[in-house]
Amino acid sequence: MWKWLNSVLVMCLLTYPAIAVAQADIGAFVRKDLFHDIKLSPNGDYYAATVPLEDRTGLAIMRRAEKKIVGSFSLGKNSHVTDFWWVNPERVVIAVAEKAGTLDEPVPTGELYAISADGSKPELLVGFRVQSAGPGTRLHSKKVENVAAFLVDALPQDDRHVIISVWPAGDEPYTRAERMDVYTGRRTLVARAPVRRADYFTDNQGVVRFAHGAGPDNVRKLYYRHGDGADWQLISDEVVDGNAEYPLGFSQDNRIAYLQVEQSSGPDAVIAYDVASGNREQIMRDEIADPDWIVYGIDSKGGAGATPVGVGLVAGKPRRNFFNPASAEAKLYGMLEAAFPGEAVRITSTTADGKIALVQVSSDRNPGDFYLFQIDARKAEYLLSRRDWFDPEKMAESRPIQLKARDGLPLHGYITLPQVGNGKNLPMVVLPHGGPFGVADTWGFDTEAQMLAQAGYAVLQVNFRGSGGYGRAFREAGAKQWGLKMQDDVTDATRWAIQSGVADPNRICIYGASYGAYAALAGVAKEPDLYRCAVGYAGVYDLPMMHTRGDIQTARSGEAYIREWIGERDEIAAVSPTNMANRIKVPIFLAAGGEDERTPIAHSELMERRLKAAGVPVETLYYKTEGHGFYTEEHRHEYYTKLLGFFGRHIGGVKSK
């Protein structure tokens, strides 16, 4: 059934023979997902799915009964459909972002498009590219202004309108909440923000009740109002309270607002906030993990509601914590998990009558299967898979791990073990994640970890301090710790793998992308006897350069972020790998793209020069036309061929037949 996704957007997926250096089918791993996200329309007549192409992501719409493509949407190079919403049974609103490279975080353009399910009435509703209807008419349904817009509420009870937040041009704007017509783009003002860079949150009737934002100082504030036209009241100030708060949703009667509240130590809590009295009651707090996503309930009419009934947690293996363990939703998830043992189960969308749910089933070995689930009949029907060419039985297991850093801080992560061997004394690749702040490795199908495991390597991933998902204090413990305690955490996890018997101490390399590339090069500089090689992909190696080059510091809040989280320019030179090249004693492989705006290729070129001057063996792979991570499948295939070849020469692995 997935073939309809290929044909609609003329996606050419290249396949390659297995490489010669190890038993890893690189072609299978660089091949793009058949689709990313899929959602069921409110009446169940259609599916809509995002489909990755080589350098963009489009949207395809299929009529469910006929399994036939009836509509599609795609823009130009580096443009990606990042989210979409069925705003009525036959209309989809689409959010667009841009990114130059597979490692890039998509940067929203602030444009909202809409298209009907049959492919008709495509419309740019709002955004900086909205054009005037011309000088000959006075009828302009859409405002022509330089703004960005983001969907706040699809208003399920209103087939014609949605609520959006509108951001005027400028670094630190005061935003507006507006009601927008999903056919014409006509907008009317609903509310103005009391704080800069505000996001809005509505109640179950679509009334804007919360505004959450921050100014150039990045101090977060939360405001509440009782209803349309009421004054804003400040209910949370990060400076005063010491923690930030975020709205999650309302109870069905709108009397209780659910807030995610940071704590001075440990994970975030979920608080029930009585909007009339201001009373607060903690209703959920996990011992390890922050809430990662919201589980919504079923409303009184049987359809998909907007009332939070629980949260999803991703530390270790994914799990849910329900506010009421005896609720219908808790029982439904319990039944689904029993039907798919060992898998992570998530309901992604439902029909408005609550009779049909679209269910995603995934795991460390399974990139994702989708089922149509008849809720009343308790019957599941297989629909399609993201990557049906992978056999889960032949994939590697990823095990959650726990350890303590040298200063006693608890750390969590994952070890992925190849199917060959007995799980002991293995060649190992340490794989620190990018970001780094607020980002975390989670349990699921990790393409690079699976590829490396197929080539015979154990893969170690640790959520070092600064990572997200473990509370504010854990995240802030990474501030200004590049090359210091953050790096020690990676080292301590590596030594844990040796002491536990998983890793052969004489066959360990370290590899990462973006910040992970920094950690790889800093790792071999700080621990010259621990690793046998290092690889940096689209990396940042000269920290003072971050103050002057790249796309982070272009906004005032970005400048504050670099100073507060990475450090002042004169403070961070000492922990730059470019200034530690003479301490590196092992071979290095660097890869980068010439159009990378996040970590400009100048970082890699300077690192290469410093390594060569220090007599360190260094290999490189640069593509002038690539950005922050390689898009082109041919380039990605070449990169991973060289990567596995590099590891094979220095720490071995499973030799080819």
Side-chain angles (χ1 to χ4, degrees), residues 354-377:
K355 293 183 178 180
I356 302 175
L358 191 61
V359 178
Q360 174 184 282
V361 176
S362 61
S363 71
D364 53 343
R365 303 180 182 206
N366 177 7
D369 299 328
F370 285 80
Y371 292 81
L372 276 179
F373 183 69
Q374 307 286 341
I375 294 178
D376 291 339

Side-chain angles (χ1 to χ4, degrees), residues 83-395:
D83 208 347
F84 60 96
W85 304 266
W86 286 99
V87 296
N88 63 46
E90 63 87 36
R91 190 77 167 161
V92 180
V93 169
I94 299 164
V96 177
E98 292 182 347
K99 66 174 188 173
T102 56
L103 301 174
D104 245 349
E105 288 296 320
V107 178
T109 67
E111 296 167 289
L112 293 176
Y113 292 78
I115 189 171
S116 294
D118 61 3
S120 66
K121 302 176 184 177
E123 195 76 36
L124 171 56
L125 299 174
V126 59
F128 68 94
R129 278 184 276 217
V130 168
Q131 299 293 315
S132 169
T137 179
R138 300 176 65 181
L139 300 176
H140 297 278
S141 61
K142 288 180 276 189
K143 296 179 183 178
V144 180
E145 56 180 338
N146 188 10
V147 298
F150 307 94
L151 190 102
V152 174
D153 191 334
L155 299 179
Q157 306 306 319
D158 183 345
D159 286 350
R160 187 84 194 188
H161 300 93
V162 295
I163 301 296
I164 62 172
S165 63
V166 178
W167 292 53
D171 285 346
E172 314 291 336
Y174 284 95
T175 65
R176 310 186 299 266
E178 298 183 349
R179 185 182 304 273
M180 182 178 70
D181 189 304
V182 297
Y183 293 92
T184 68
R186 185 182 296 277
R187 305 180 344 239
T188 57
L189 181 67
V190 171
R192 295 185 184 274
V195 60
R196 295 178 186 270
R197 290 190 281 144
D199 295 317
Y200 297 94
F201 300 84
T202 56
D203 63 19
N204 291 313
Q205 275 64 55
V207 178
V208 172
R209 302 284 290 275
F210 284 102
H212 178 275
D217 57 4
N218 287 330
V219 173
R220 294 165 289 179
K221 297 180 180 181
L222 179 63
Y223 287 81
Y224 171 78
R225 68 177 191 168
H226 289 296
D228 286 333
D231 293 334
W232 289 107
Q233 304 170 21
L234 179 63
I235 64 169
S236 174
D237 184 325
E238 188 176 12
V239 170
V240 176
D241 303 329
N243 299 297
E245 301 182 355
Y246 308 88
L248 302 178
F250 282 82
S251 60
Q252 280 190 346
D253 59 10
N254 291 326
R255 296 176 61 184
I256 299 295
Y258 299 100
L259 308 177
Q260 181 170 335
V261 180
E262 294 178 341
Q263 305 294 303
S264 58
S265 63
D268 298 354
V270 176
I271 301 296
Y273 174 69
D274 187 313
V275 298
S277 68
N279 292 334
R280 293 164 173 256
E281 178 186 0
Q282 179 176 304
I283 60 172
M284 200 287 295
R285 190 183 183 206
D286 189 70
E287 294 182 356
I288 298 173
D290 295 337
D292 187 71
W293 78 88
I294 308 304
V295 181
Y296 291 103
I298 305 298
D299 67 22
S300 59
K301 296 180 181 179
T307 301
V309 296
V311 297
L313 306 160
V314 294
K317 292 185 178 182
R319 52 201 166 90
R320 270 158 297 281
N321 194 329
F322 288 92
F323 304 159
N324 176 9
S327 67
E329 293 81 11
K331 294 177 181 178
L332 175 59
Y333 267 100
M335 180 188 63
L336 289 170
E337 289 166 349
F340 299 101
E343 304 276 343
V345 179
R346 190 167 179 179
I347 296 174
T348 65
S349 56
T350 67
T351 53
D353 60 10
K355 293 183 178 180
I356 302 175
L358 191 61
V359 178
Q360 174 184 282
V361 176
S362 61
S363 71
D364 53 343
R365 303 180 182 206
N366 177 7
D369 299 328
F370 285 80
Y371 292 81
L372 276 179
F373 183 69
Q374 307 286 341
I375 294 178
D376 291 339
R378 301 295 195 257
K379 180 181 179 182
E381 174 190 352
Y382 171 77
L383 181 62
L384 44 77
S385 301
R386 282 199 179 97
R387 303 189 195 181
D388 60 2
W389 54 91
F390 283 125
D391 180 356
E393 295 298 321
K394 297 180 180 179
M395 296 292 103

Side-chain angles (χ1 to χ4, degrees), residues 341-633:
E343 304 276 343
V345 179
R346 190 167 179 179
I347 296 174
T348 65
S349 56
T350 67
T351 53
D353 60 10
K355 293 183 178 180
I356 302 175
L358 191 61
V359 178
Q360 174 184 282
V361 176
S362 61
S363 71
D364 53 343
R365 303 180 182 206
N366 177 7
D369 299 328
F370 285 80
Y371 292 81
L372 276 179
F373 183 69
Q374 307 286 341
I375 294 178
D376 291 339
R378 301 295 195 257
K379 180 181 179 182
E381 174 190 352
Y382 171 77
L383 181 62
L384 44 77
S385 301
R386 282 199 179 97
R387 303 189 195 181
D388 60 2
W389 54 91
F390 283 125
D391 180 356
E393 295 298 321
K394 297 180 180 179
M395 296 292 103
E397 177 190 6
S398 180
R399 297 177 183 173
I401 62 170
Q402 300 180 39
L403 64 138
K404 284 191 175 181
R406 63 191 68 182
D407 62 359
L409 185 68
L411 302 175
H412 298 80
Y414 302 88
I415 187 80
T416 302
L417 300 174
Q419 289 200 345
V420 296
N422 60 1
K424 298 293 182 180
N425 203 39
L426 296 166
M428 185 176 78
V429 176
V430 180
L431 189 60
H433 64 70
F437 302 113
V439 178
D441 286 313
T442 58
W443 188 82
F445 191 93
D446 185 300
T447 298
E448 285 193 323
Q450 287 291 338
M451 181 189 301
L452 291 166
Q454 195 175 91
Y457 304 107
V459 181
L460 175 66
Q461 297 167 285
V462 61
N463 287 321
F464 43 82
R465 69 193 69 199
S467 301
Y470 300 91
R472 174 183 177 131
F474 187 87
R475 185 175 66 254
E476 291 187 339
K480 297 184 178 181
Q481 293 300 313
W482 286 45
L484 302 172
K485 291 183 179 180
M486 290 170 70
Q487 196 67 45
D488 291 342
D489 291 347
V490 177
T491 300
D492 293 345
T494 304
R495 297 195 187 283
W496 169 89
I498 295 171
Q499 293 165 4
S500 66
V502 172
D504 179 345
N506 297 312
R507 292 194 295 165
I508 303 174
C509 285
I510 184 168
Y511 157 51
S514 198
Y515 169 82
Y518 166 86
L521 272 292
V524 291
K526 290 194 68 174
E527 304 290 341
D529 299 322
L530 186 59
Y531 304 105
R532 295 296 172 263
C533 68
V535 180
Y537 179 28
V540 51
Y541 309 114
D542 189 78
L543 300 191
M545 193 187 299
M546 295 186 72
H547 283 269
T548 57
R549 300 188 65 171
D551 60 1
I552 298 176
Q553 83 290 347
T554 54
R556 284 181 289 171
S557 56
E559 294 175 358
Y561 168 84
I562 293 175
R563 291 195 306 270
E564 295 170 5
W565 286 90
I566 302 174
E568 298 290 350
R569 188 174 181 183
D570 58 352
E571 297 174 346
I572 53 182
V575 291
S576 294
T578 52
N579 295 327
M580 297 189 287
N582 60 353
R583 295 162 57 181
I584 296 174
K585 308 300 180 185
V586 298
I588 304 296
F589 175 34
L590 302 175
E595 296 181 359
D596 191 340
E597 296 181 0
R598 177 54 48 89
T599 58
I601 196 172
H603 283 277
S604 297
E605 293 171 337
L606 177 58
M607 190 75 237
E608 178 189 0
R609 293 195 298 271
R610 296 283 175 86
L611 289 169
K612 288 181 175 179
V616 178
V618 56
E619 302 175 30
T620 62
L621 180 64
Y622 301 150
Y623 289 112
K624 293 182 179 180
T625 58
E626 293 282 9
H628 195 56
F630 300 159
Y631 266 141
T632 307
E633 287 193 32

Side-chain angles (χ1 to χ4, degrees), residues 11-17 19 24-34 52-54 102 387 389-390 445 447-448 451 454 537 630-641 643-644:
M11 179 168 59
C12 179
L13 296 170
L14 303 177
T15 57
Y16 297 86
I19 62 169
D25 182 1
I26 292 178
F29 289 102
V30 301
R31 187 176 176 183
K32 290 180 171 58
D33 290 358
L34 297 173
L53 303 175
E54 183 171 86
T102 56
R387 303 189 195 181
W389 54 91
F390 283 125
F445 191 93
T447 298
E448 285 193 323
M451 181 189 301
Q454 195 175 91
Y537 179 28
F630 300 159
Y631 266 141
T632 307
E633 287 193 32
E634 183 179 358
H635 293 169
R636 295 174 68 220
H637 191 276
E638 181 179 5
Y639 166 65
Y640 284 114
T641 299
L643 178 73
L644 292 185

